[in-house]
């Protein structure tokens, strides 16, 4: 929440729990889901609220406040609307394509609702059926989320570079997709990842791999722990050398959020910054070839 408020600055009108009202339509990287067509709707009853929402569109999910609010009233209104499945996804299942509206009760008889939002998932939260046995750690969920939201994955046999790969969560995802993966880290990969077909690991710094020594690759990945400005230099170097067609990397911030570097990433042509539901004090940069 704090990085989002810093990013929005004087655009912020008010904050209620995880919901921030702000002026303007400029993108906000730290916003997990943006209500793009918000409107105030007076209601006289739970039924009248549900009917007014249904008149706008079919698919709605209530934003339930974490503290206070009219939770029971919201849940009853949600029950009167068409059912929208919210089961955890199996990776590989496409993201929903139908628009998903969001609503909440600002007061007992005043609803705030938006027929369109930037995420097809309620509150921007993507839940997966997790694999708790094979991958080393839970970092793999970030890559699952990126591929689900963008609808793009590397093709089988495509060459991928994974910088700072150990213990190998992202390499595991890529290996499972049938990619050829060249991973780099000062530490070893988890044994089950290192043994995957198509995975080759080199001991060394992710910053030490120079694009001119690699040639063009399909995808450049990085989830390594480093300062965002150092990562920016690396990504710019690979892009300037025309050495990769697609980039996915994680900006990991320290105690203070480096908004200047985040804006520099956002300014890269064709790229965008996302705050994934699997991110913590991080943003994910994605640049995909047309």
């Amino acid at each position: 929440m704090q990085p989002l408020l810093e990013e929005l600055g004087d655009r912020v009108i008010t904050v209620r729990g995880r919901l921030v009202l702000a002026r303007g339509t400029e993108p906000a990287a730290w916003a997990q889901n943006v209500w793009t067509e918000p409107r105030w709707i007076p209601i006289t009853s739970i039924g009248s609220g549900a009917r007014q929402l249904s008149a706008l569109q079919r698919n709605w999910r209530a934003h339930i406040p974490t503290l206070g609010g009219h939770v029971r009233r919201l849940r009853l209104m949600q029950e009167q609307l068409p059912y929208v499945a919210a089961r955890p996804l199996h990776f590989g299942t496409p993201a929903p394509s139908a628009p998903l509206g969001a609503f909440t009760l600002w007061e007992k008889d005043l609803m705030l609702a938006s027929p369109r939002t930037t995420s097809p998932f309620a509150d921007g939260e993507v839940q997966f059926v997790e694999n708790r046995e094979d991958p080393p750690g839970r970092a793999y969920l970030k890559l699952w989320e990126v591929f689900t939201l963008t609808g793009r994955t590397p093709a089988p046999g495509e060459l991928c570079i994974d910088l700072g790969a150990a213990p190998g969560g992202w390499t595991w995802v890529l290996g499972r997709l049938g990619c050829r993966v060249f991973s780099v880290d000062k530490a070893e990969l988890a044994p089950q990842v290192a043994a995957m077909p198509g995975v080759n690991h080199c001991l060394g710094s992710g910053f030490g791999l120079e694009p001119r020594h690699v040639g063009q690759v399909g995808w450049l990945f990085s989830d390594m722990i480093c300062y965002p400005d150092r990562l920016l230099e690396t990504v710019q170097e690979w892009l300037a050398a025309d050495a990769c067609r697609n980039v996915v990397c994680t900006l990991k911030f320290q105690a203070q959020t480096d908004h200047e570097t985040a804006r520099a990433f956002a300014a890269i042509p064709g790229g965008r910054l996302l705050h994934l539901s699997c991110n913590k004090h991080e943003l994910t940069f994605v640049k995909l070839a047309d």
Side-chain angles (χ1 to χ4, degrees):
M1 177 62 74
Q2 187 58 37
L4 174 60
L5 297 179
E6 292 170 0
E7 181 185 17
L8 292 172
D10 59 9
R11 293 168 54 192
V12 175
I13 299 171
T14 189
V15 180
R16 182 174 290 188
R18 296 181 60 201
L19 196 61
V20 179
L21 270 62
R23 302 176 183 86
T25 57
E26 297 86 353
W30 286 95
Q32 200 160 278
N33 187 31
V34 179
W35 300 16
T36 55
E37 300 177 11
R39 62 199 65 188
W40 299 106
I41 303 176
I43 64 173
T44 57
S45 66
I46 292 170
S48 76
R51 286 191 295 274
Q52 291 186 78
L53 292 175
S54 295
L56 293 172
Q57 70 135 335
R58 181 187 185 280
N59 299 320
W60 293 90
R61 285 296 299 276
H63 170 73
I64 306 295
T66 52
L67 294 174
H70 308 278
V71 174
R72 175 170 171 75
R73 195 169 173 84
L74 271 171
R75 294 192 188 281
L76 291 172
M77 195 180 302
Q78 181 74 72
E79 290 175 2
Q80 294 198 19
L81 294 166
Y83 176 72
V84 177
R87 294 185 297 272
L89 286 181
H90 289 273
F91 176 62
T93 303
S97 58
L100 181 64
F103 70 98
T104 195
L105 285 174
W106 199 257
E107 298 172 3
K108 180 182 178 182
D109 298 319
L110 181 63
M111 185 163 54
L112 178 61
S114 177
R116 297 289 186 274
T117 63
T118 57
S119 175
F121 299 96
D123 288 339
E125 298 282 353
V126 187
Q127 302 292 332
F128 290 104
V129 177
E130 297 189 26
N131 185 324
R132 301 182 184 276
E133 298 179 2
D134 300 320
R138 302 181 74 248
Y140 73 96
L141 291 169
K142 288 183 256 186
L143 215 47
W144 276 12
E145 187 170 350
V146 167
F147 292 155
T148 300
L149 293 177
T150 62
R152 295 272 297 277
T153 60
E158 196 166 11
L159 179 58
C160 302
I161 302 292
D162 188 6
L163 303 179
W170 283 24
T171 293
W172 175 83
V173 172
L174 301 172
R176 290 273 293 244
L177 290 171
C179 303
R180 293 180 295 134
V181 188
F182 185 78
S183 60
V184 185
D185 201 294
K186 294 180 180 179
E188 297 280 5
L189 296 179
Q192 73 273 23
V193 179
M196 296 178 74
V199 171
N200 290 280
H201 184 61
C202 176
L203 291 175
S205 169
F207 296 123
L209 185 64
E210 297 187 18
R212 60 190 176 91
H213 293 153
V214 179
Q216 191 177 70
V217 301
W219 295 72
L220 177 69
F221 293 95
S222 171
D223 192 37
M224 61 181 165
I225 299 174
C226 64
Y227 287 106
D229 57 349
R230 184 69 180 89
L231 180 64
L232 176 64
E233 293 175 6
T234 299
V235 170
Q236 289 174 330
E237 181 182 0
W238 280 78
L239 292 176
D242 194 26
C244 57
R245 294 188 297 275
N246 305 279
V247 180
V248 178
C249 61
T250 308
L251 286 67
K252 297 174 182 282
F253 299 97
Q254 308 300 315
Q256 300 297 319
T257 304
D258 184 354
H259 292 286
E260 181 179 353
T261 298
R263 287 191 292 269
F265 267 102
I268 294 175
R272 58 173 171 153
L273 284 176
L274 306 171
H275 186 257
L276 305 175
S277 54
C278 297
N279 283 146
K280 295 183 180 178
H281 191 201
E282 305 170 333
L283 292 174
T284 296
F285 173 75
V286 180
K287 184 181 187 304
L288 302 180
D290 295 333

